[in-house]
Amino acid sequence: MGAIRTKFDRQKEDVDADLGVFAGYLVTTLESTPVSNKELRTGLEDLLVEARQCATMPASEFWLKCEGIVQKLDDKRQELPMGGLKQAHNRLLFILTRCNRLVQFRK
């Protein structure tokens, strides 16, 4: 298990960097989204919180929570209509899946 956890820790560092870029994208998108579009704004804000929580979570904690986070995001994404919010969910899932694959491989 040690080699997989070491690889996971390195992967988590890369994911954290990507989450930082993604958070910047969300902030920029929020700034250009009209206040009247409450549903989109709320969805983007929720993703921003999720991305920040994942990025600041220690690798050992993320190892335990990664699958649940990905499953929750995927369930939510499937309920969304096509559009910017669904694309943002896809992008976050793509980032997190790199770590999630290692967790699933271990199981």
Side-chain angles (χ1 to χ4, degrees), residues 56-75:
T56 59
M57 195 178 297
S60 58
E61 183 180 352
F62 192 63
W63 172 267
L64 298 172
K65 294 182 176 181
C66 184
E67 273 187 301
I69 292 167
V70 167
Q71 186 62 54
K72 181 181 81 170
L73 286 168
D74 189 45
D75 290 347

Side-chain angles (χ1 to χ4, degrees), residues 33-81:
T33 301
V35 176
S36 60
N37 194 342
K38 293 181 189 296
E39 185 177 337
L40 178 58
R41 291 186 66 82
T42 299
L44 293 172
E45 289 166 354
D46 290 347
L47 285 177
L48 183 57
V49 168
E50 192 74 52
R52 285 183 176 161
Q53 287 175 343
C54 289
T56 59
M57 195 178 297
S60 58
E61 183 180 352
F62 192 63
W63 172 267
L64 298 172
K65 294 182 176 181
C66 184
E67 273 187 301
I69 292 167
V70 167
Q71 186 62 54
K72 181 181 81 170
L73 286 168
D74 189 45
D75 290 347
K76 177 66 177 169
R77 179 191 61 85
Q78 290 181 31
E79 298 171 4
L80 295 170

